[in-house]
Amino acid sequence: MATFALCSLNKVGRFTWRQCLVSNLKGSRGSEESSLRQLPGARCFSKTTSFRCMSHGTAGRSAAGRSRRGLLAFGGVAALTAAAVAGLMANGHHFQRAEMATKIPQTADEIEQEGGILERCRGFMSAPITDISVLQERRGEMCTRMEMMIMETQADFCRALQEVDGGTFKVDRWYRKEGGGGISCVMQDGKVFEKAGVNVSVVFGHLTEEAAKQMRSRGKVLKGKDGKLPFCAMGVSSVIHPKSPHIPTVHFNYRYFEIEEEDGSKQWWFGGGTDLTPIYVNKDDAFLFHNTLKEACDKHHPQYYSDFKKWCDRYFYIRHRGETRGIGGIFFDDLDGPSQEEAFSFVKSCAKTVVPCYLPIVYKHLKDPYSAEEKDWQQVRRGRYVEFNLVYDRGVKFGLATPGSRIESILMSLPLTARWEYMHEPAKGTREAEILEVLRNPKEWV
């Protein structure tokens, strides 16, 4: 999971999923109390709080970075594995120069279909990171359209999870003094989910020398002005750890990154994916999950599912164990074609699958009984999940090594509980051995 989390100050707020605080459209964000107003029909309250184990406490709040100016007005986030520009900068395998402009012309029908900015904000978990007035002014720009999409994805997924669990997400807004911020939604110790996190980040600023060096070392030719490379990045990501060993863990991440070079030209790309980590093999669940993703991919290119499924299996591989983290899904990065509009359309299609590819599986297994032995096996498999995230996930590693990173958001992907047993190997012929065989030899599900 890769989320932009370069931040040390945050404010905790609680919102219902039909609530949204927005900034005064004509004013600047001075103090939060004076500049934020309530949308019609919404109720909200804030509450300073803290909670246990890998949740989000408060460290005050900052007015810095709350409104964007100039060319960087639409900074962004990358992957909620949480880690600064990690998921975007650390996951690349290739980088091609983008030929299309950032601003995408829209027809009247397309604008109407996407809906009014203000109206769409009423369904968010919190006010967008960017001022509503700025989003309205620049509604045709890719950064605006992507920010609205990731906010809607967060709200739709949180709403679906709250409905099945009966619990409520805690909404944690944080700001990054260098520019931008994020919204972390976390639900812990629920009836169905032990820990559920859905994060949005929208950050902007300048690439550090170390970050730029890493990108150049992978063949990315970037020319900054006076050693500086302005960037904006944004994304939504989620990791859900259920209580029942018969309900799989799911992870998804969709992000956008943009860099401005010395001559004013911009390079951009999209990345993301969705993957499933079951504790036991269920072929029907695997088919539903993969087929939902395949149908979304097939709308855009017949090779997308096949290529991105293989990429997912390669990426989520625990080398020291010789097994994958789960049964895969799709994973892609550096997507900068065939055009910006078409790439964005593909990412939107993928993001729309997060509810239909997962929630039917959750409902199906809600009342499945399980034994103490099955729960212990779930804990062992969660240990493998932790190993991958801390040892191999490029976003997490980059974030932990980046000064000023928001550690709570980076580690949000970890489960509340896990288990490591010495020399643990399930007996042959058991369901535990069956899933190990699948993880050691990834298979096709559709």
Side-chain angles (χ1 to χ4, degrees):
M1 176 182 189
T3 298
F4 284 127
L6 290 176
C7 171
S8 58
L9 302 179
N10 66 80
K11 177 164 184 168
V12 176
R14 187 189 307 238
F15 297 78
T16 67
W17 44 264
R18 287 293 300 170
Q19 297 159 347
C20 181
L21 283 177
V22 300
S23 62
N24 188 311
L25 300 185
K26 297 181 180 178
S28 61
R29 288 187 174 183
S31 70
E32 188 161 314
E33 287 77 8
S34 63
S35 64
L36 289 179
R37 65 179 177 83
Q38 192 171 340
L39 282 176
R43 297 179 306 160
C44 62
F45 62 92
S46 62
K47 178 179 179 182
T48 300
T49 185
S50 61
F51 43 100
R52 72 183 179 90
C53 193
M54 296 174 228
S55 61
H56 309 278
T58 51
R61 56 189 172 86
S62 168
R66 295 188 184 181
S67 59
R68 289 182 252 181
R69 299 289 187 267
L71 292 173
L72 295 178
F74 292 91
V77 186
L80 273 187
T81 352
V85 182
L88 298 165
M89 290 191 281
N91 287 338
H93 293 285
H94 68 281
F95 189 90
Q96 301 173 3
R97 189 174 190 84
E99 297 298 331
M100 290 192 63
T102 301
K103 190 166 184 177
I104 303 298
Q106 287 181 279
T107 66
D109 289 341
E110 288 174 330
I111 291 175
E112 172 131 6
Q113 185 176 6
E114 291 197 358
I117 298 291
L118 193 61
E119 178 64 28
R120 292 166 69 191
C121 286
R122 290 193 174 99
F124 295 168
M125 298 298 287
S126 178
I129 301 302
T130 303
D131 287 341
I132 299 293
S133 58
V134 178
L135 292 173
Q136 290 178 319
E137 178 185 351
R138 306 184 182 185
R139 60 180 299 153
E141 293 190 18
M142 182 53 67
C143 285
T144 295
R145 299 170 69 196
M146 184 67 180
E147 183 171 352
M148 295 297 290
M149 189 276 282
I150 62 178
M151 291 292 297
E152 286 175 336
T153 301
Q154 180 188 54
D156 290 345
F157 198 55
C158 286
R159 192 175 299 135
L161 297 177
Q162 286 181 155
E163 185 174 347
V164 66
D165 186 276
T168 303
F169 277 90
K170 290 181 179 1
V171 179
D172 179 10
R173 289 181 66 92
W174 53 267
Y175 295 95
R176 176 177 177 260
K177 64 180 182 180
E178 294 85 354
I183 302 164
S184 297
C185 297
V186 179
M187 179 166 59
Q188 296 186 152
D189 291 325
K191 295 178 181 178
V192 178
F193 305 110
E194 184 174 286
K195 186 178 183 184
V198 191
N199 294 342
V200 158
S201 304
V202 177
V203 301
F204 57 94
H206 292 84
L207 289 180
T208 64
E209 292 182 1
E210 180 62 27
K213 180 180 179 182
Q214 288 189 26
M215 297 184 77
R216 291 190 181 102
S217 69
R218 288 192 294 274
K220 305 181 191 303
V221 180
L222 302 172
K223 297 179 180 179
K225 186 176 182 180
D226 299 325
K228 296 181 179 179
L229 282 162
F231 80 93
C232 67
M234 59 191 66
V236 57
S237 65
S238 177
V239 174
I240 309 301
H241 294 290
K243 288 187 172 181
S244 170
H246 298 302
I247 302 177
T249 288
V250 72
H251 159 256
F252 69 82
N253 178 307
Y254 293 99
R255 56 193 181 271
Y256 174 70
F257 200 94
E258 186 177 284
I259 293 176
E260 181 183 343
E261 295 196 84
E262 183 179 13
D263 61 1
S265 64
K266 294 180 180 179
Q267 299 196 42
W268 56 264
W269 71 94
F270 294 90
T274 304
D275 62 279
L276 196 70
T277 304
I279 307 304
Y280 293 100
V281 175
N282 185 301
K283 294 180 180 179
D284 291 339
D285 292 350
F287 175 82
L288 183 148
F289 180 81
H290 279 269
N291 193 58
T292 304
L293 293 174
K294 184 178 185 299
E295 289 178 348
C297 290
D298 288 348
K299 293 177 182 178
H300 300 272
H301 196 288
Q303 278 297 117
Y304 273 0
Y305 172 76
S306 177
D307 291 347
F308 298 157
K309 195 268 184 186
K310 292 175 183 176
W311 198 342
C312 186
D313 289 338
R314 288 196 305 269
Y315 180 76
F316 292 104
Y317 183 69
I318 309 172
R319 290 192 295 274
H320 65 274
R321 297 288 188 180
E323 60 193 44
T324 57
R325 190 177 72 176
I327 63 168
I330 60 171
F331 177 88
F332 60 91
D333 207 354
D334 290 349
L335 184 66
D336 56 5
S339 71
Q340 192 177 53
E341 189 64 35
E342 289 174 291
F344 179 55
S345 178
F346 169 64
V347 171
K348 284 195 298 183
S349 293
C350 293
K352 288 178 180 178
T353 68
V354 298
V355 171
C357 78
Y358 183 61
L359 266 296
I361 297 173
V362 175
Y363 279 105
K364 175 182 174 181
H365 299 290
L366 270 182
K367 298 182 180 180
D368 288 3
Y370 56 87
S371 65
E373 291 75 20
E374 289 173 326
K375 186 66 178 178
D376 286 344
W377 176 242
Q378 179 195 52
Q379 298 295 293
V380 171
R381 295 312 309 170
R382 282 184 176 174
R384 299 290 200 270
Y385 202 95
V386 171
E387 289 175 27
F388 175 84
N389 282 26
L390 295 182
V391 177
Y392 298 112
D393 189 90
R394 291 190 289 266
V396 171
K397 290 170 64 178
F398 187 94
L400 293 176
T402 301
S405 294
R406 191 167 191 269
I407 303 302
E408 288 295 336
S409 292
I410 295 171
L411 299 181
M412 189 208 70
S413 63
L414 302 181
L416 284 182
T417 59
R419 180 186 183 99
W420 284 265
E421 292 187 14
Y422 183 69
M423 298 295 287
H424 185 279
E425 187 72 22
K428 292 183 179 181
T430 62
R431 295 189 66 203
E432 289 78 11
E434 180 186 20
I435 186 67
L436 269 186
E437 175 62 24
V438 169
L439 300 178
R440 290 167 179 171
N441 298 283
K443 60 180 296 183
E444 300 300 320
W445 298 101
V446 293

